[in-house]
Amino acid sequence: MINQQYRLDDSNCIDRSSPVTFYFDGKKLTGFRGDTLASALLANGVRLVGRSFKYHRRRGIYSAGLEEPNAFVTLRAGGRHEPNVPATNIELYDGLTAISQNCWPSLSFDLLGIIGLFSKFLPAGFYYKTFMGPTRKSWMLYEHFIRKAAGMGSAPDREDPDKYEKVFAFCDVLIVGAGPAGIMAALAAGRSGAQVILAEDDFELGGSLLSQTGDHISHWLSQAVTELESKSNIRIMKRTTVFGAYDSMTFGMVERVEEHQAKPAQYQPRQRYIEVNTKTAIIATGMIERPLVFGNNDLPGVMLASAARTYLNRYGVLPGKQVIAFANNNSIYGVALDLAKAGADVSVVDVRASIPDNIRLAVVNAGITLHLGKVVRTANGKNSVKSVDVVMFDDEASVSSGPVTRMLCDTLLLSGGWTPTLHLVSQRGYKPYYDEKYATLVAGKIPAGFYLAGGASMAYNLSHCLQTGIESARQAVTACGLSPASSDHKQAGVLVDDDIELDVKALWEVPNPANGKLKMKFIDLQNDVTVDDVNLAYREGYDSVELLKRYTTLGMSPDQGKTSNLNGLAILANNHNKPINEVGTTVFRPPYRSIPIGVLAGQATGLHFRPTRRSPFHVLHEKNRAVFTQTGLWLRPWYFPMPGEDCASASLREAESVRDNVGLVDISSLGKIDVQGPDVAEFLNRVYVNNWGSLQPGKGRYGVMLRMDGIVMDDGTTSRLTDDHYFMTTTTAGAGKVMSHLEYLLQVAWPELKVHVTSVTSQWAAMAIAGPNSRALLSKVVSDVDFNNDSFPFMGVVHGRIDEVPVRLMRVSFSGELAYEVYIPAGYGESVWRNIQDAGKDFDLTLYGTEALGILRIEKGHIAGPEIDGRTSLTDVGLGRMASNKKSFIGSALRQREGLVSSDRPTLVGLESIDGVKLRAGAILCEQGKHSGHGIGFISSVTYSPALKKHIALGFVSGGMQKNGQKIDAIFPLKNELSSVRVTSPHFYDPEGSRLHV
Amino acid sequence: MFERTSHLESVCQAGTYGISESSELITIKECRPRMLLQISGWQHSFQSVCETLQSLLGIKIPIDLAMANSEKNISVFRVAPERLWLVLDQESELIEKINGWRAGKACVLTDIAHSRTIIRVAGERAKDVICRALPVNIDASVFPPGSIVQSFMLHIPVLIHHLSNENKTAYEIYLTNDYAISFWEWLVETAEQFGGGIDNIT
């Protein structure tokens, strides 16, 4: 175990009474509660944390927040393994395990580091121009190795044992970021009575205040947080990232509920996805410090200056003992002073030739060495930075020149200016623009309902931040129709202003010396994008910002270019020799940070991926050992196996029993629609292809609906119960679609029709009893119904009772046998099923599932989902003669269009296997021996027919029944199968219909 | 007469769930079956249908879609401009009146009592469970007792009624019965983090 040799004696935010043990690459280390993984690693002197994405270069901790481009680790193991988590954003907990990424066999000895030697062969877009030969397929070979060598961790290969959930939240004011401006805005909005959500990515409130010292700051923060926590209308959400801004003031947030523990507490989700609907949003997301770009600027030990201040003041970690700070603005001096005070040997290299006198005085008094008008040209070192080469810099000519001074160091801090964090604004399509004064991208027009505060609004010093917090809250609560309370930041205690002007001197890259070239100058550390890559992209014509991004990958991946975006744009603009605003800026897209897929899925996994529908008989099916299949959202019995049976043998037995005796099947999933009103007959005439005017009460009729474009939409039966009351059934798959279609027509197309439709799918449990003994069985259990042919003919509908339960009975048949459908109020479904099953023992009643149902309907030539697939016309499915010529109906005009009446359209036929092999649904049908092109049709449904003792199919063939008796070929390329089939009538079994009319 | 069975019979076991030491327990139960009658009419005549119903039942018919009117054993929901749901306890003396009512051609009646499962979620944190699937704000400030809303939870169509005259916050969720088990499993699992109990059907 390594001691925390870089830990200082005091700091505000870690709990020294709670030591924590953790493991990095298997090595046992210690930290404290309140640390991040990054701060604890630095405390232990761990500099090398990962290897880079492309060149496998050594990388260390670069920042202290979400902008981290380097220190990505894989957290935990097994099902809880999570790749690409920035160490700077991992809250330390006891037992935490993290491993470094993108190295083999180890972080310190990475054989893949050899790739760096071949970097000249791997420039931007290399995969478009190298590794392409010697043959056309060479890339396929290389790709495997290139993908293995590159990458950002690996996806977990085991099921995640933790749960995730989704929540909807609502508020008047969403405040993103709980730094000084966000806290002040929350106080002001909360005092006005607004419902406020204050979301903070960190596990502590305070933002940049946490990185500063001074009793006045901790006092102000403490007072403010106490007041926030006391207000019931303010919801404080720590560990919560607002990652996306969407339409209608909807924001996506992820709360890392139990992420700070190895295992979530019982019943708690690990993470929670929150969809927030707010009236207004205050973006108080602060600023991100920009790095400077020079040779070897990616060495471990090179770090943003603001990060060093955070590690020092918040976590009590000295980032280095011999520190050089390289900057182009005044913010570096606060860091330098803090580090010097903590005992570090500090030198500052400032691009600018002069700095304000008060700063110079303070710095010199602190023993800090100043190097003004100079730049760091190159960092030197292997595992971490050991020295830097410093030269004079001519600001006017932008030239670095003169003798090189090598300065020793163990840490190099960078401050290249500050960029406001405007991702959420940009996600709504509002691009920032470049402001010369601040040398950064600032917000231009912002979306309605959005307000900026703090650093996001370019407020840098504290008093300005607090004022923007108050002002943004005033505007937001006013927009919500509330009266702003009189607010002033001193209500929470006096906060002394640091009063610093940044005075940034833009420097996008340290220029190469006149007689040479610097080592690799990285712009985007996460994607290993260098200055040379951007220049190359420009030379090759990828000269717009959007093309540059895609060609070089600049700004992609988990860090989303948080530190690299502006430097990259500016270097591209330099290539163009145009101002940055003329070259343009890219749009940030959600998510702002990486989000586990698990949290987006929430509880929608397994059978809850979509809600599951179960029939009223479901429990009985389970007791009867049904094997279920999913049809849409429904769980339906597929087959009911006897011991030793598989699906094929069970379903064949079930189908034979129906043909020979009697079977019982659950058809509750059929769509059922109650249609009532004086104009129903007219309505049905308009939606169905056939005529409904003559249908008498007590009778039903088969009908087909077309879409507006003349394609078959759905089929089913509709029965007339009374003069104005009809009962429609649809297919299981078509139920929702038909219901919406009918509602649309009644509300939009024909509001004058007095018709109401109501889905009653769930009201009625439904079963079909089919087979020669179905009448005898039902006669035994149903009272008040005369089952003889005259009283209850085919397509008749009657009402009866089973026990005292009122039931609807329809004599219809999908199987081709004498059959009845029985509709029972759902709550009595189970009892009635039991009753019929008991009565059926005398008839050797067989339960059958959807597989047998399919066998029976294919034998009979009835169309179903595979034939009504959204491509077929009425004529295609052999029902063209059903269409009435005496009326208009939905689809009646467009079904006559040229393409739908073409004589060579494939139409429904039956197909018999000639060589006795199993046929395949989806097989392409071709003329014998002519296996090119698209063939002459396809097979839609297949089965082995127990009645015919052969493999049969339904399909569509050009020419249809004109090819009756012809042999054609069925080809199934996926299995490389070819079989010979004979075209026949689709009505394989009892074509006269004698069995269902008995 | 056969027994009417609940769709939740196989999963709804009375007892406790989740965090046991929680002080903000959430009680979940399936409500006993009720009479649920849908009355649909047409724009020109629906007002007179409502007036007839009002005098028949002695209860005010709500005029907007956001508020229910509930009295003793009956609730009336306006679920569409010309569509009402009458929800009556099985013991209600009004059932006979409804059954004896001849609406004629002024409106159509559809019995949907067997189509819905009604689940009651009660407790101070009940809202926090429901908001894990309901994309509608049901905070009491905008959804006071008596309010109803029709929406979707987990892709399932639901009607939610914020009950009034209760001694603690309570909602009833009406959903089609084929989704009942799926919804129940989600509900109990989600409520575990708050802790509570499942009551017998009443």
Side-chain angles (χ1 to χ4, degrees):
Chain A
M1 191 184 299
I2 301 172
N3 291 322
Q4 298 179 51
Q5 68 268 40
Y6 286 84
R7 184 77 73 181
L8 300 173
D9 289 338
D10 55 17
S11 72
N12 289 330
C13 302
I14 56 168
D15 180 0
R16 288 170 192 272
S17 64
S18 301
V20 166
T21 302
F22 69 102
Y23 301 84
F24 179 66
D25 278 346
K27 190 178 286 182
K28 189 175 181 181
L29 300 167
T30 59
F32 294 107
R33 196 160 288 280
D35 262 326
T36 61
L37 174 61
S39 68
L41 286 171
L42 286 172
N44 285 281
V46 177
R47 294 298 186 93
L48 179 61
V49 176
R51 291 280 179 158
S52 73
F53 162 68
K54 190 168 159 187
Y55 301 126
H56 286 252
R57 288 171 69 94
R58 293 169 177 83
R59 293 286 167 81
I61 292 162
Y62 199 73
S63 74
L66 263 182
E67 66 271 30
E68 176 60 35
N70 271 350
F72 286 88
V73 299
T74 295
L75 201 54
R76 301 181 293 269
R80 294 192 168 98
H81 157 125
E82 187 177 343
N84 294 328
V85 190
T88 50
N89 203 237
I90 298 169
E91 196 173 340
L92 202 66
Y93 55 80
D94 206 34
L96 178 146
T97 59
I99 56 169
S100 53
Q101 296 186 168
N102 211 25
C103 52
W104 185 84
S106 71
L107 179 59
S108 55
F109 181 66
D110 176 20
L111 284 176
L112 294 171
I114 197 168
I115 290 172
L117 299 177
F118 299 98
S119 59
K120 284 190 177 171
F121 300 100
L122 302 164
F126 73 90
Y127 32 81
Y128 298 127
K129 49 200 174 190
T130 57
F131 298 98
M132 305 306 282
T135 69
R136 287 181 64 189
K137 290 189 175 175
S138 295
W139 169 253
M140 314 300 180
L141 172 69
Y142 303 134
E143 185 186 16
H144 171 74
F145 297 101
I146 290 170
R147 287 197 184 281
K148 212 172 171 80
M152 296 173 182
S154 59
D157 56 3
R158 293 188 214 167
E159 191 176 345
D160 189 337
D162 298 331
K163 68 177 188 180
Y164 301 83
E165 68 176 14
K166 181 176 179 178
V167 182
F168 293 93
F170 303 84
C171 62
D172 296 321
V173 185
L174 169 67
I175 299 169
V176 188
I183 288 175
M184 194 63 243
L187 287 171
R191 289 168 189 162
S192 304
Q195 293 295 322
V196 176
I197 292 178
L198 174 61
E200 170 53 50
D201 180 78
D202 206 324
F203 50 92
E204 296 287 352
L205 302 184
S208 60
L209 296 179
L210 299 172
S211 304
Q212 297 183 38
T213 54
D215 288 345
H216 64 292
I217 286 178
S218 53
H219 178 72
W220 185 90
L221 186 55
S222 162
Q223 294 288 310
V225 171
T226 302
E227 183 180 342
L228 288 173
E229 289 172 343
S230 70
K231 290 197 172 299
S232 62
N233 59 326
I234 298 176
R235 184 173 172 191
I236 301 169
M237 302 190 69
K238 297 179 190 173
R239 303 186 177 96
T240 301
T241 310
V242 181
F243 65 79
Y246 303 94
D247 291 346
S248 307
M249 296 301 287
T250 300
F251 289 80
M253 314 200 301
V254 166
E255 181 184 8
R256 297 181 299 284
V257 184
E258 295 285 311
E259 198 62 55
H260 55 296
Q261 309 205 55
K263 189 178 162 190
Q266 195 181 18
Y267 306 124
Q268 293 299 320
R270 175 173 288 286
Q271 297 197 19
R272 181 178 288 139
Y273 166 51
I274 303 161
E275 187 178 309
V276 183
N277 290 272
T278 181
K279 292 175 184 163
T280 59
I282 295 174
I283 309 300
T285 40
M287 294 171 153
I288 292 174
E289 194 168 35
R290 282 197 305 276
L292 288 158
V293 178
F294 52 92
N296 256 357
N297 59 338
D298 63 329
L299 277 178
V302 178
M303 180 186 286
L304 293 175
S306 55
R309 197 176 204 185
T310 299
Y311 290 119
L312 178 67
N313 293 332
R314 178 172 176 181
Y315 301 107
V317 174
L318 192 63
K321 291 170 182 169
Q322 196 169 11
V323 179
I324 294 175
F326 176 29
N328 63 353
N329 68 87
N330 288 335
S331 68
I332 194 70
Y333 293 100
V335 185
L337 288 167
D338 283 354
L339 283 166
K341 191 177 171 190
D345 174 9
V346 183
S347 301
V348 176
V349 177
D350 196 322
V351 174
R352 300 168 300 169
S354 65
I355 59 172
D357 287 342
N358 60 336
I359 293 178
R360 179 194 286 268
L361 188 62
V363 167
V364 170
N365 286 343
I368 296 168
T369 313
L370 269 176
H371 301 270
L372 299 179
K374 294 183 179 178
V375 291
V376 171
R377 191 181 258 178
T378 307
N380 306 303
K382 187 181 174 190
N383 287 323
S384 68
V385 63
K386 300 291 182 200
S387 66
V388 296
D389 292 344
V390 175
V391 294
M392 293 298 292
F393 182 67
D394 181 340
D395 183 19
E396 293 300 316
S398 193
V399 171
S400 60
S401 58
V404 173
T405 306
R406 179 154 293 189
M407 296 167 59
L408 297 180
C409 63
D410 61 8
T411 300
L412 174 60
L413 307 183
L414 306 177
S415 181
W418 294 79
T419 309
T421 307
L422 297 169
H423 290 63
L424 295 173
V425 175
S426 176
Q427 285 172 17
R428 301 300 306 130
Y430 293 78
K431 289 186 177 185
Y433 72 93
Y434 180 74
D435 188 311
E436 296 274 357
K437 179 186 167 193
Y438 297 111
T440 193
L441 295 172
V442 301
K445 192 179 173 194
I446 61 172
F450 280 53
Y451 305 94
L452 300 180
S457 67
M458 281 312 297
Y460 181 74
N461 60 47
L462 270 177
S463 63
H464 193 188
C465 279
L466 299 178
Q467 285 303 330
T468 57
I470 292 169
E471 176 56 21
S472 61
R474 189 190 64 75
Q475 293 178 27
V477 297
T478 305
C480 294
L482 300 167
S483 301
S486 128
S487 276
D488 141 3
H489 64 79
K490 290 176 184 164
Q491 275 180 253
V494 176
L495 200 53
V496 177
D497 197 344
D498 47 10
D499 196 23
I500 287 178
E501 288 299 322
L502 283 174
D503 187 24
V504 182
K505 170 66 196 169
L507 175 67
W508 309 119
E509 63 168 312
V510 172
N512 290 332
N515 56 352
K517 192 176 169 190
L518 297 178
K519 291 181 178 173
M520 294 174 101
K521 295 191 282 188
F522 287 91
I523 303 171
D524 181 338
L525 278 78
Q526 175 155 43
N527 292 295
D528 273 352
V529 180
T530 64
V531 172
D532 283 351
D533 288 326
V534 172
N535 294 339
L536 178 69
Y538 173 79
R539 289 200 305 276
E540 293 185 344
Y542 299 94
D543 54 0
S544 86
V545 287
E546 296 295 346
L547 288 176
L548 174 75
K549 178 176 178 178
R550 280 147 192 85
Y551 193 61
T552 62
T553 67
L554 176 77
M556 290 187 173
S557 303
D559 86 328
Q560 281 288 294
K562 292 182 181 70
T563 53
S564 62
N565 185 270
L566 181 53
N567 285 338
L569 295 179
I571 291 167
L572 178 67
N574 279 345
N575 274 287
H576 279 278
N577 202 21
K578 288 180 181 172
I580 292 172
N581 283 327
E582 279 188 39
V583 176
T585 54
T586 56
V587 174
F588 294 109
R589 292 179 176 80
Y592 175 68
R593 65 168 289 164
S594 299
I595 293 168
I597 290 172
V599 78
L600 295 178
Q603 286 169 278
T605 59
L607 271 183
H608 290 287
F609 177 66
R610 288 275 177 91
T612 300
R613 303 179 80 171
R614 292 170 171 86
S615 97
F617 309 124
H618 185 84
V619 172
L620 293 177
H621 297 328
E622 288 179 327
K623 287 178 182 163
N624 286 316
R625 298 188 300 277
V627 175
F628 291 93
T629 184
Q630 284 184 291
T631 52
L633 299 180
W634 288 91
L635 269 186
R636 298 186 69 184
W638 187 11
Y639 57 97
F640 294 86
M642 305 279 275
E645 283 185 332
D646 60 8
C647 176
S649 53
S651 55
L652 286 177
R653 170 184 54 75
E654 290 167 11
E656 283 181 315
S657 298
V658 173
R659 294 268 180 250
D660 298 340
N661 191 11
V662 61
L664 173 62
V665 64
D666 179 359
I667 55 167
S668 299
S669 63
L670 289 182
K672 307 172 205 89
I673 301 173
D674 188 78
V675 191
Q676 294 196 65
D679 296 329
V680 174
E682 173 59 21
F683 177 60
L684 295 179
N685 260 338
R686 296 185 190 185
V687 296
Y688 277 128
V689 302
N690 45 338
N691 186 13
W692 291 79
S694 58
L695 186 71
Q696 296 301 308
K699 291 287 284 182
R701 185 167 288 172
Y702 174 72
V704 179
M705 289 179 197
L706 304 186
R707 302 189 318 216
M708 302 276 186
D709 62 359
I711 296 292
V712 175
M713 178 180 179
D714 202 55
D715 69 344
T717 59
T718 293
S719 309
R720 190 171 189 176
L721 305 176
T722 65
D723 282 351
D724 295 342
H725 191 182
Y726 292 67
F727 179 65
M728 178 186 287
T729 64
T730 72
T731 61
T732 297
K737 188 170 52 180
V738 170
M739 184 67 199
S740 301
H741 179 61
L742 300 183
E743 285 277 23
Y744 167 80
L745 292 171
L746 286 169
Q747 291 184 30
V748 178
W750 308 316
E752 74 282 4
L753 290 184
K754 293 178 78 173
V755 177
H756 274 288
V757 290
T758 304
S759 171
V760 288
T761 301
S762 310
Q763 170 73 9
W764 298 96
M767 59 180 76
I769 295 152
N773 283 325
S774 57
R775 179 182 286 140
L777 170 57
L778 279 174
S779 300
K780 188 176 166 188
V781 296
V782 178
S783 52
D784 298 345
V785 173
D786 178 356
F787 278 90
N788 78 49
N789 257 332
D790 294 335
S791 306
F792 194 0
F794 182 63
M795 297 307 289
V797 55
V798 300
H799 290 85
R801 287 179 298 107
I802 296 179
D803 190 51
E804 291 300 315
V805 176
V807 295
R808 281 179 194 167
L809 293 105
M810 291 175 60
R811 187 172 160 190
V812 290
S813 178
F814 197 46
S815 60
E817 299 297 329
L818 174 68
Y820 302 85
E821 290 180 355
V822 185
Y823 295 86
I824 311 122
Y828 296 114
E830 238 183 83
S831 302
V832 169
W833 180 284
R834 271 203 198 94
N835 180 265
I836 290 177
Q837 208 180 339
D838 285 347
K841 286 174 185 164
D842 294 343
F843 301 92
D844 205 12
L845 175 73
T846 297
L847 305 182
Y848 65 106
T850 56
E851 190 67 20
L853 196 70
I855 293 171
L856 296 165
R857 73 100 186 163
I858 294 170
E859 286 181 336
K860 187 62 186 167
H862 283 158
I863 58 170
E867 286 73 41
I868 307 174
D869 64 354
R871 296 180 296 174
T872 49
S873 72
L874 198 60
T875 306
D876 295 344
V877 295
L879 299 174
R881 281 180 296 177
M882 266 183 75
S884 170
N885 294 321
K886 297 176 184 168
K887 60 162 192 166
S888 289
F889 51 86
I890 296 288
S892 60
L894 288 179
R895 70 180 284 262
Q896 302 294 347
R897 63 198 153 111
E898 197 177 355
L900 289 191
V901 295
S902 169
S903 60
D904 61 352
R905 278 184 71 82
T907 54
L908 186 72
V909 295
L911 300 158
E912 293 177 349
S913 170
I914 293 173
D915 36 24
V917 299
K918 182 180 172 182
L919 301 175
R920 301 269 187 189
I924 300 166
L925 297 171
C926 297
E927 299 281 10
Q928 278 194 307
K930 296 179 182 173
H931 300 165
S932 60
H934 295 95
I936 57 171
F938 62 96
I939 293 179
S940 53
S941 303
V942 297
T943 188
Y944 175 77
S945 166
L948 280 67
K949 311 291 184 215
K950 62 173 78 167
H951 291 280
I952 60 170
L954 297 178
F956 293 84
V957 174
S958 179
M961 285 303 291
Q962 290 170 18
K963 287 192 165 56
N964 192 12
Q966 290 184 17
K967 290 182 187 176
I968 57 175
D969 289 343
I971 300 162
F972 195 71
L974 290 177
K975 299 267 183 187
N976 203 22
E977 290 175 357
L978 166 65
S979 55
S980 186
V981 294
R982 179 179 289 109
V983 177
T984 177
S985 162
H987 309 297
F988 296 96
Y989 182 76
D990 186 27
E992 302 79 20
S994 56
R995 294 179 70 86
L996 54 88
H997 286 102
V998 293
Chain B
M1 181 125 164
F2 288 143
E3 185 189 352
R4 182 170 169 174
T5 49
S6 157
H7 280 68
L8 293 174
E9 198 170 79
S10 61
V11 292
C12 180
Q13 308 291 333
T16 58
Y17 61 84
I19 296 173
S20 53
E21 67 274 20
S22 169
S23 58
E24 296 168 322
L25 300 180
I26 291 171
T27 311
I28 302 172
K29 71 175 178 187
E30 184 190 4
C31 300
R32 205 157 37 156
R34 297 171 187 164
M35 179 181 188
L36 178 50
L37 186 68
Q38 178 176 282
I39 300 165
S40 311
W42 290 278
Q43 195 175 4
H44 69 281
S45 58
F46 197 62
Q47 180 59 32
S48 69
V49 172
C50 291
E51 286 164 7
T52 306
L53 271 174
Q54 201 157 303
S55 62
L56 179 74
L57 304 174
I59 183 168
K60 201 173 171 189
I61 305 300
I63 56 170
D64 70 46
L65 278 72
M67 291 296 288
N69 200 4
S70 301
E71 285 182 18
K72 229 170 32 173
N73 289 325
I74 182 170
S75 289
V76 187
F77 306 148
R78 189 179 283 254
V79 294
E82 283 95 35
R83 187 168 280 188
L84 303 173
W85 280 9
L86 293 188
V87 186
L88 289 92
D89 285 349
Q90 298 288 9
E91 300 82 26
S92 172
E93 66 280 5
L94 296 174
I95 286 184
E96 268 188 38
K97 287 187 179 177
I98 288 289
N99 288 335
W101 182 42
R102 294 291 170 260
K105 290 186 182 296
C107 60
V108 299
L109 310 181
T110 312
D111 177 5
I112 52 172
H114 284 260
S115 70
R116 296 303 196 272
T117 293
I118 306 168
I119 296 171
R120 179 188 164 109
V121 185
E124 291 311 309
R125 303 295 301 273
K127 175 172 78 82
D128 295 325
V129 176
I130 293 171
C131 78
R132 275 157 171 73
L134 183 72
V136 177
N137 190 1
I138 56 166
D139 186 83
S141 60
V142 291
F143 193 72
S147 302
I148 60 165
V149 65
Q150 297 173 81
S151 184
F152 285 82
M153 293 175 75
L154 315 167
H155 307 280
I156 300 170
V158 293
L159 182 148
I160 297 180
H161 182 199
H162 187 176
L163 300 180
S164 42
N165 304 321
E166 299 284 322
N167 55 12
K168 60 181 174 180
T169 308
Y171 303 90
E172 285 184 347
I173 304 170
Y174 292 69
L175 69 154
T176 53
N177 52 36
D178 35 65
Y179 289 113
I181 290 178
S182 196
F183 185 84
W184 182 268
E185 287 171 347
W186 169 85
L187 180 65
V188 173
E189 186 186 337
T190 302
E192 280 175 341
Q193 61 190 285
F194 303 103
I198 298 170
D199 283 356
N200 280 319
I201 190 167
T202 55

